Structures are given as C-alpha cells and as structure tokens.
Amino acid sequence: MPGIQRTGPVKNKRGSNTQSQPAKVAATKLAKASTKKKDEDDGTEMGDGTDEWMQRKTLIKPPDQLDLTEAELKEEFTRILTANNPHAPENIVRYSFKELLYQRTGSIDQLATHFMLEGNLLHQDSDEARRQKARQGYPEGMVPIATEAKEEKPDTLQAEVEEVMEEGGSEDRSDSVQHKGGKPEQKQTNQFNFIERGSKTLNNPLRQMGCQTEPPPRANFSATANQWVIYDAYVEELQKQENNKEKQRASMKKEEGKSKKKTMLVETQSDDITKFRKVTKIVERMVIQNTFDDIAQDFKYFEDASDEFRQQEGTLLPLWKFQYDKVKGLAVTSLCWNQRYKDLFGVGLGSYDFTKQGHGMLLFYSLKNSTFPEYFYTTSSGIMCLDIHPNLSHLVAVGFYNGCVAVYNLKEKSIQPLYTSTAMSGMLTQPVWQVKWQKDDMDNNHNFFSVSSDGRVVSWTLVKNEMVFTDIVKLAVGDSVTGGLEGLQLPNPACGTSFDFHKEVDYLFLVGTEEGKIYKCSKAYSSQFLDTYDGHHMAVDAVRWNHFHPKVFISCSADWTIKIWDHTVRTPMFTFDLNSAVGDVAWSPYSSTVFAAVTTDGKVHVFDLNINKYEAICHQPVVAKKTKLTHIEFHPVYPIIIVGDDRGCVTSLKLSPNLRKKPKEKKRQELPEGPEVEIAKMEKLLNLLQDPDNSSLG
Amino acid sequence: MAEVEETLKRIQSQKGVQGIIIINAEGIPIKSTLDNSSTVQYAGLLHQLVMKTRSTVRDLDPQNDLTFLRVRSKKNEIMIAPDKDYFLIVIQNPSD
C-alpha cells in the first residue's frame, strides 16, 4: 500500500513513524472527537470530560509519548511521494555462475502486483487458437461463434465436451480431440506462460585424493664377486645342509640334541679367545723367526765348509737353546721327537737325585719357538721317561719317579693326564725308567710297555677309560741269591733301567739292568730270558737296537763304556771308553754305523764306525762346565741332535757334513738300496772283527 | 685369555719389537701398544693391504688362505697375521 504522506505542519500528530499506533488511536479518537470538538486531541481514557474539555491547551499525552521541545514540534518534515515499492527488498543478492560469486542485483524490480487474473482469451492467429478451430471443424480464418456453432452441430456429448473445453481451455482433452481431428500435432509452446528454465543436477564436488607410501629404505651395496667369494658361499651352504642333517638326527634323540646345544653355546663363548690364540701364536713365531733369524738360516743351510780340510772329523754347530724358567732345578730325563710333526719334541723333566725328589714337568717344544714351550704340564712327581706314540702323535706315555704311569692327550687342554695308573691299577713301586709304545693289540687298543726298578716289565693297555696292566716279564737276578736281593731294600735295587724293542721282530726286546746285565727277552716267555749278556760293571743306562742291521745293538753305562753287540754273540763287538760316565747313546737314523753319545762332562761324542773304528770322529763340549748331559736324540729327518742336561736346558746342534757321510760305493744304486747298503756296511765290519782273530788286519 | 695375554707380553719383550696392534675385521684397532695416531695410521693402511693380499691368494685358489704377511723395509719389519675376525700386527726391528 503506498503510503499517503502529508505535508504541512502536523499539529495533532507528533509521533514519528514508529509511533503510528498511538497516532492511529489518536486519529480514531480525533474522528470521534471531531464530531464534538475539533481541536482537542483526546487520546486517552483518563479524561474526565469536563476538565479536559475546558482545558484546551492541556494536551493529553499518552504515557509513552516522546517529549519534544517546541522547536522540534515546529519542525517540518517533508514527505516525498515516489513510485517505489516499499515492500521491494533493497538489496537482493544473487549468485552469479559466470563470476562464481554472490553479486548484488543492480536494479530491483519495483513492480508490485496488486491483482492478477489469467485470462482465457486467445489470439486468433496463435497456435492454440488454430488448434481449437481445427477441433471445432471450422476452416481457418473464420471467427467461430462458439455457442452458435455448437448449436448447429449435432448435440452429442462431444459437442458439450467441446464447449466445456473451450471455456476451460485445458489442453489434455484438447489433445485427444485434436487427435480425432486428424491434424498433425506439433508440440506447441505456451506463448504466454512458457518459461524455459534450465536446471542443473547437483555435481558432486571433485576431490583429489592421493596417498604416498614411505619410500622403502635404501642402502648402497657393493661387492666384488671373486672366485673365493663364490667358493665361500658354497662352503657355507654345505655346512648349513650338514647342520640341518645333524639336527634332524639329533631331534630323534633328545639328549643328544641338548648336549649339542650346550656345545654350541660353549663354542660361541670361547670363540673369541681361541681365535686370538692361534693368531698370536703365529705372530710370536714370526717375531722369533726374526730374532733368531741367523740360527734358522744355519739350521737350514749352513754346511761347515771347513770340513773339507778336516780329514775325518766333524763338528757340531750349536743352534737353538730351549730353556724354560720354571724348570730350574730339574734335569732333563728324557727326550722324544714327534714322528709326525717334525719340529715338535717332548722333554721330560725330573730329578736323578734321589734325595731331591720334587715335582716334574712335561714340556713340548717346537723348533720354531725356542723361547717358550708349546705345551707344558706340571706333575707331582718327577718324570723319568716319555714316549710319543708313533702314529697318534697326540698320545704321550709318561713314566714317573713314584712308579706311576700316565698317558697324556696333547689335544685336550686339560692339565690332567688322560689315564693314570693308581695304586689300585698296578702302580709300580719303583721308578719307571722307560716306556715305549707298541702296536695296537688285536682289539685295536693302544698299549705300551714300561720297565721299572722293581724288576717288572709291564704292558699297559688302554681300554676305554682305564688302563689295564699285565706283567710281561719279571726280572729275576740270574743265578744267585734271588731271595736276598729281593728282600734287601737297597737304595739302588738291581733291576731294569732301560729297554728297547726290536725294530722288525716285534716280540724281541732287550732289557738293561742296574747291575750291568742285559737280558734278551721275548714277550711270549714271561719268566725265562732268551739270552743274557754280561755287559757292564755298572748300571746300563741305555740299550738301543740298530735301525738298520737286525742283529746289532748298542749299550752304554755309567762305567764309562759303550759297547756294541751282535745279539747272537755274547761278547761285545766294539767297546769304547769315554773317560766319563755315559749318560745316553743313540744310533743315527741315516746310517747304520754312526752313533752319538753324551757324557757327564758335558761332551758329545759322535762315532762313525765306517770311518774310524776306535775313536770318535767328533767330541765336543756342548754345555758349560759342571753341567752334565743326560740325554741325546737324533732327529729322524734333519741333521740335528738335541741334548738335554741336568739344568733343564735342551740344546740343539747341527751335524757337520763329515758326520753324515754315507758311503759312496755305488752312486747310482745307493738311494733305493739305502737300508741294505747300511746292513752290508755293518756286516762288513762285523766280518772284519771276526777276521782279525784269523788275519793280520787290526 | 690369560694365555693370550702372556703370549703378547712375551712378544713385546722380544728384542726389537716396537709395537703390537690388534685390529678387528672392520679395521678398527682394538688393542695397541703404540700411541693413538700411529695406531690409527697403521690400522687403516694395513687393513687394506691385507684385504688385497688375501683376495689375491684366494682368487688364485679358493681353498687356499693367507697365513701371514711380512713386509720388510729398510728400517723395520711389519708382520701381519690375519684371522677371520682379527688382524694382529707386530712391528719389529730385527737388527736391534
């Protein structure tokens, strides 16, 4: 509704637009009052008629009427009449798809529709009109008068319907009528009310989703594929397979599996230590090789050139000296080379002095390291003899001063021997002077023999965890007073001090005794000797069979003599007097006529019967004065000998070429016939001996 | 372990031995009797040399392996004994 705005001063109405209500009330009241009074503004219900009526100037104000001053009351308000639609919104904002934002519509439609009526008049030329005409059947152009035309038609329902239809103007029925009319249809757009409006389906907002995984960790790898890398890989594979197989077998038996696990653990713990050990050993040897470089060179290459000038004599070149701190006070009682490892030899230490019996030691030295032994064992009793098994070089048989025998296993790291004989298992009551390994018996058990001062030659067999002993021979002192000697408790009982087994004839062996006799015995006969040789006046320190000649053996004794025998003859073949007690004698492994002996005055004597039948071709003091030499051994391969003394020191010496001569009879045939030539040599000598009785040769 | 310590002491007491170094498979010195800078230098250089040598030996015959290596120079000799996880180096002046 357009607002009627008044101009001019408003007397009666003081309120603003906000006060329209009281103004209207006032207006109505004014209308009423105007019948009575014109000027009065009678808006409230308060009025007593007369009082208010009398007081013209007192205006009745509604209680919430705005109080204005006179000036303000006289203020003129101008009101303008415009054609604006007061109800039209002033700020329409539409979303513009072109600019994709909300935009204020510039011009706002001010049209206000008060009344609207949709008519049903059709333009006669419009499509709809034509359709209707067609329906009615009139030709185009004519202006049909609806009602008259219909009266002319037959009064059918259709006509009535047509009337209704014309008035109503609905299209649905017209369609069907048109169809009947037969005219082609056209989809006709409504001329008046047609609005084309497009709509859009809701588009789902596009979203992009990406995901990224963490980059896989990378590492640079480089390696070279050498032949050995490939080889190592294969070896590892093999080992793994073997381990798996073992595990499978072990899983069958639970106990074994557990024990293997234990061993595995132990290995890993001790791995570091053992690996260090090996490496440090190697380095130590290298350092020592450097330190003792000249000795090593001599050992290998030095040949005394001056031997050419010395006609028959030779010399001994001192090489290494093996000493160990802890063996002071002990004497070397036995030496033995290891057959398998050519640089290893064993030293047994004890004491020959009966009054000073203490502990003993078993040492193993290698030529590669002369400062420190490879293995060492401390024993409670002095060691008197030792022997290394010729085949199983880790087994060492040891005889003690207290009559015990023991077998050590070098492979094991324990200090204790593998087997020990105790009082129960046949310990001998007297010191054991010699032990020797024998071939395995029929049950493949290892066994060794021992000889001791109580006159028994005992065979010890290693059966599983213990040693079993059997007495082989009991040495009875030949003819005379047996009971007396056995009954008497002499400090030096007259019994076996050394023995040796024949190289070829296995059951034959020799025993040397304290009283100087040598007995030839057989393993088969336990009480009887095969033969007796009246050898020496004093104890026989050593008897040795010749390596080559089957009949010859040598013996030495404290009576300063060395004697060479033919076991078929009861008298010695050769006798040598050395001016000093002979500690030990040994045949050389390379010649049947060369042997060496050591004496208590510190000298080494080397004899070659082929060259000189009566004298030594070399006798040389080897150790300091007052040191007695106790034992000697030839190296099986190298031209060196080791000698032990009573200070616990072992010295190695190299034999000069003169001492190593082999007869140059037939050069070509010499080597393959080595042993036979040696035998022949010996034979010749023996024959010569027998001949001097008959001939004039001396 | 004590045995190893003893052996090392003995080596150290041999005449002319200047120092002993033990290095692990990666070339890091574990134990040494020389000063730090020398140790590190020796370790670094010799490690490579030993690897190369070992590779050479094994390449020629995979079943073979390096036992030890000696480098003799005018002034001294360096001896190296390799193992699977360790190297032991000894420097000696043999003419002292």
Side-chain angles (χ1 to χ4, degrees):
Chain A
M1 293 275 180
I4 301 162
Q5 317 247 347
R6 297 182 202 160
T7 58
V10 177
K11 284 183 184 176
N12 299 326
K13 295 180 187 175
R14 300 177 201 270
S16 59
N17 283 339
T18 54
Q19 302 249 340
S20 58
Q21 205 178 19
K24 283 181 186 171
V25 171
T28 53
K29 295 267 169 125
L30 185 64
K32 286 181 191 174
S34 64
T35 54
K36 294 178 186 177
K37 286 158 193 175
K38 290 183 185 177
D39 292 325
E40 286 182 8
D41 188 14
D42 203 3
T44 61
E45 52 279 4
M46 277 179 67
D48 267 359
T50 49
D51 282 342
E52 287 166 345
W53 199 44
M54 292 300 281
Q55 298 167 0
R56 254 204 215 174
K57 290 181 184 176
T58 58
L59 299 165
I60 299 167
K61 299 175 190 177
D64 53 353
Q65 193 178 55
L66 197 65
D67 284 339
L68 294 171
T69 59
E70 281 290 328
E72 285 177 14
L73 285 171
K74 288 198 176 169
E75 202 181 331
E76 286 194 1
F77 292 95
T78 49
R79 303 221 174 159
I80 305 164
L81 191 67
T82 61
N84 286 345
N85 183 357
H87 294 292
E90 290 166 24
N91 50 356
I92 296 178
V93 177
R94 294 251 184 267
Y95 186 72
S96 158
F97 284 97
K98 185 179 174 185
E99 268 129 71
L100 298 176
L101 36 83
Y102 286 97
Q103 275 182 335
R104 207 161 164 173
T105 312
S107 57
I108 293 164
D109 190 15
Q110 301 295 332
L111 180 69
T113 312
H114 294 279
F115 177 72
M116 208 160 103
L117 173 66
E118 288 194 13
N120 49 10
L121 293 173
L122 300 170
H123 192 268
Q124 65 178 0
D125 292 330
S126 75
D127 292 335
E128 178 57 34
R130 274 189 230 129
R131 261 188 256 140
Q132 286 188 2
K133 282 179 202 168
R135 254 184 279 129
Q136 290 167 10
Y138 293 118
E140 288 184 25
M142 281 185 70
V143 179
I145 304 165
T147 50
E148 289 174 3
K150 282 166 193 172
E151 286 173 0
E152 288 177 7
K153 273 193 178 177
D155 291 324
T156 57
L157 279 168
Q158 280 188 345
E160 287 174 5
V161 165
E162 282 169 13
E163 280 180 356
V164 171
M165 276 188 345
E166 275 184 354
E167 288 171 4
S170 65
E171 290 189 4
D172 290 333
R173 292 176 190 174
S174 67
D175 282 342
S176 58
V177 170
Q178 278 181 354
H179 188 65
K180 287 182 183 176
K183 276 198 177 176
E185 266 183 43
Q186 280 177 349
K187 180 94 185 194
Q188 305 209 337
T189 52
N190 190 339
Q191 248 181 359
F192 298 96
N193 283 346
F194 180 72
I195 304 168
E196 196 165 319
R197 181 165 68 184
S199 71
K200 208 167 159 184
T201 56
L202 191 67
N203 281 345
N204 286 329
L206 288 174
R207 276 190 200 177
Q208 240 187 18
M209 265 186 73
C211 90
Q212 196 180 25
T213 54
E214 259 187 45
R218 285 189 206 173
N220 272 340
F221 174 77
S222 68
T224 44
N226 284 330
Q227 202 180 3
W228 56 272
V229 173
I230 299 167
Y231 175 81
D232 275 349
Y234 272 108
V235 166
E236 251 188 69
E237 264 301 308
L238 262 175
Q239 278 183 356
K240 268 185 195 175
Q241 282 177 8
E242 277 171 26
N243 282 342
N244 283 339
K245 280 184 194 171
E246 280 181 18
K247 276 178 189 174
Q248 281 175 8
R249 281 177 216 160
S251 66
M252 299 290 284
K253 300 175 186 177
K254 290 176 188 177
E255 289 177 356
E256 283 180 11
K258 282 179 193 172
S259 65
K260 271 178 189 175
K261 279 177 196 171
K262 282 179 191 172
T263 50
M264 284 294 284
L265 283 170
V266 168
E267 276 174 24
T268 49
Q269 282 171 8
S270 62
D271 248 1
D272 298 345
I273 301 166
T274 49
K275 274 178 183 171
F276 255 134
R277 200 166 152 247
K278 198 181 163 195
V279 168
T280 49
K281 264 197 172 172
I282 292 171
V283 173
E284 197 189 354
R285 285 191 182 181
M286 283 161 74
V287 170
I288 281 162
Q289 193 181 4
N290 268 350
T291 318
F292 296 106
D293 184 41
D294 39 2
I295 295 177
Q297 300 286 339
D298 285 342
F299 161 73
K300 196 72 186 176
Y301 301 116
F302 180 76
E303 304 292 351
D304 200 345
S306 60
D307 264 11
E308 289 172 24
F309 305 109
R310 278 182 237 134
Q311 294 248 318
Q312 286 169 351
E313 290 177 357
T315 50
L316 297 168
L317 181 72
L319 297 173
W320 297 283
K321 216 172 183 191
F322 301 88
Q323 263 175 329
Y324 187 39
D325 294 335
K326 293 182 189 172
V327 302
K328 279 179 185 169
L330 294 173
V332 172
T333 55
S334 55
L335 298 165
C336 188
W337 285 102
N338 189 320
Q339 298 296 323
R340 198 161 156 220
Y341 298 105
K342 305 287 180 206
D343 59 305
L344 196 65
F345 66 91
V347 181
L349 292 132
S351 176
Y352 282 122
D353 198 344
F354 298 110
T355 50
K356 290 180 196 172
Q357 281 298 324
H359 65 287
M361 282 207 87
L362 179 64
L363 300 175
F364 285 87
Y365 278 102
S366 163
L367 291 178
K368 296 174 188 169
N369 184 349
S370 60
T371 56
F372 199 77
E374 301 291 314
Y375 306 97
F376 61 92
Y377 303 93
T378 316
T379 58
S380 53
S381 162
I383 295 175
M384 302 312 290
C385 56
L386 77 100
D387 192 29
I388 301 176
H389 198 284
N391 296 332
L392 305 166
S393 55
H394 57 90
L395 288 177
V396 178
V398 169
F400 292 99
Y401 192 84
N402 62 4
C404 276
V405 286
V407 176
Y408 282 87
N409 185 349
L410 292 180
K411 276 187 187 172
E412 282 174 29
K413 289 180 187 174
S414 66
I415 307 169
Q416 295 304 315
L418 203 58
Y419 306 97
T420 326
S421 71
T422 58
M424 307 291 283
S425 62
M427 186 179 87
L428 305 154
T429 51
Q430 296 295 329
V432 179
W433 289 101
Q434 193 122 14
V435 284
K436 265 247 159 39
W437 283 103
Q438 300 298 306
K439 287 180 198 167
D440 289 354
D441 62 4
M442 305 240 271
D443 300 329
N444 285 338
N445 291 323
H446 310 303
N447 65 336
F448 64 93
F449 276 62
S450 72
V451 69
S452 88
S453 283
D454 64 355
R456 286 158 55 203
V457 176
V458 183
S459 156
W460 303 84
T461 314
L462 305 175
V463 180
K464 286 188 185 177
N465 288 336
E466 54 178 19
M467 280 201 292
V468 179
F469 77 98
T470 23
D471 272 353
I472 298 297
V473 174
K474 262 214 165 124
L475 302 168
V477 179
D479 318 306
S480 56
V481 196
T482 53
L485 271 169
E486 282 178 9
L488 284 171
Q489 299 283 326
L490 291 170
N492 295 338
C495 284
T497 54
S498 62
F499 70 163
D500 194 18
F501 285 84
H502 198 275
K503 304 283 180 256
E504 285 151 35
V505 183
D506 204 25
Y507 56 82
L508 201 64
F509 65 96
L510 295 165
V511 183
T513 63
E514 277 276 349
E515 50 160 31
K517 291 203 175 160
I518 302 172
Y519 301 106
K520 185 167 75 177
C521 316
S522 162
K523 285 187 198 174
Y525 300 100
S526 63
S527 54
Q528 264 198 338
F529 310 126
L530 294 175
D531 216 342
T532 315
Y533 308 90
D534 248 327
H536 298 267
H537 308 291
M538 292 181 69
V540 177
D541 280 332
V543 279
R544 301 274 179 110
W545 285 102
N546 190 314
H547 291 277
F548 298 100
H549 203 286
K551 288 189 194 171
V552 176
F553 66 91
I554 194 171
S555 71
C556 76
S557 140
D559 67 355
W560 297 8
T561 59
I562 299 176
K563 297 191 178 177
I564 299 179
W565 311 75
D566 180 338
H567 75 93
T568 51
V569 181
R570 282 204 168 186
T571 52
M573 301 266 105
F574 296 93
T575 312
F576 301 94
D577 196 325
L578 294 178
N579 296 328
S580 170
V582 184
D584 198 6
V585 71
W587 287 105
S588 75
Y590 51 84
S591 167
S592 66
T593 54
V594 177
F595 64 91
V598 282
T599 59
T600 47
D601 62 357
K603 279 192 181 173
V604 177
H605 303 256
V606 182
F607 291 81
D608 189 347
L609 297 173
N610 218 17
I611 295 171
N612 191 333
K613 283 199 287 270
Y614 306 106
E615 281 182 342
I617 51 174
C618 167
H619 51 113
Q620 185 174 329
V622 171
V623 286
K625 289 179 189 177
K626 294 189 185 176
T627 319
K628 301 173 193 173
L629 291 174
T630 51
H631 277 276
I632 183 169
E633 281 286 342
F634 275 88
H635 192 282
V637 177
Y638 303 124
I640 61 171
I641 52 172
I642 42 170
V643 283
D645 61 19
D646 68 343
R647 294 253 176 98
C649 179
V650 177
T651 316
S652 61
L653 304 147
K654 185 165 183 185
L655 302 163
S656 70
N658 268 350
L659 305 172
R660 296 186 263 137
K661 269 189 185 169
K662 292 186 180 180
K664 291 177 186 176
E665 293 172 1
K666 297 169 189 176
K667 283 180 190 176
R668 283 182 192 175
Q669 292 173 352
E670 187 182 328
L671 291 167
E673 293 178 296
E676 291 175 9
V677 167
E678 304 292 335
I679 294 170
K681 240 193 332 180
M682 208 62 198
E683 273 297 325
K684 219 171 127 187
L685 282 168
L686 294 171
N687 291 338
L688 280 170
L689 274 175
Q690 285 161 6
D691 281 346
D693 299 335
N694 300 329
S695 73
S696 57
L697 288 167
Chain B
M1 204 53 201
E3 202 188 319
V4 170
E5 292 286 343
E6 229 185 272
T7 314
L8 289 172
K9 273 186 204 167
R10 266 185 283 127
I11 296 170
Q12 182 70 33
S13 63
Q14 285 285 335
K15 82 167 181 185
V17 171
Q18 287 168 354
I20 305 175
I21 306 169
I22 304 177
I23 57 177
N24 71 354
E26 288 146 30
I28 301 165
I30 299 174
K31 198 174 177 186
S32 170
T33 59
L34 297 170
D35 57 286
N36 200 19
S37 55
S38 310
T39 304
V40 169
Q41 203 178 15
Y42 269 108
L45 295 165
L46 290 171
H47 175 64
Q48 294 173 35
L49 181 66
V50 172
M51 290 317 236
K52 189 71 187 173
T53 315
R54 196 186 228 163
S55 179
T56 310
V57 167
R58 295 212 70 198
D59 239 354
L60 295 167
D61 178 11
Q63 290 182 334
N64 204 356
D65 198 4
L66 184 65
T67 317
F68 62 80
L69 181 66
R70 278 177 186 262
V71 181
R72 196 156 204 165
S73 65
K74 282 186 199 167
K75 292 190 183 173
N76 52 18
E77 180 165 354
I78 305 168
M79 288 167 277
I80 307 148
D83 195 68
K84 229 179 178 183
D85 297 332
Y86 301 98
F87 301 122
L88 211 109
I89 302 167
V90 175
I91 303 136
Q92 187 190 20
N93 192 344
S95 56
D96 272 346

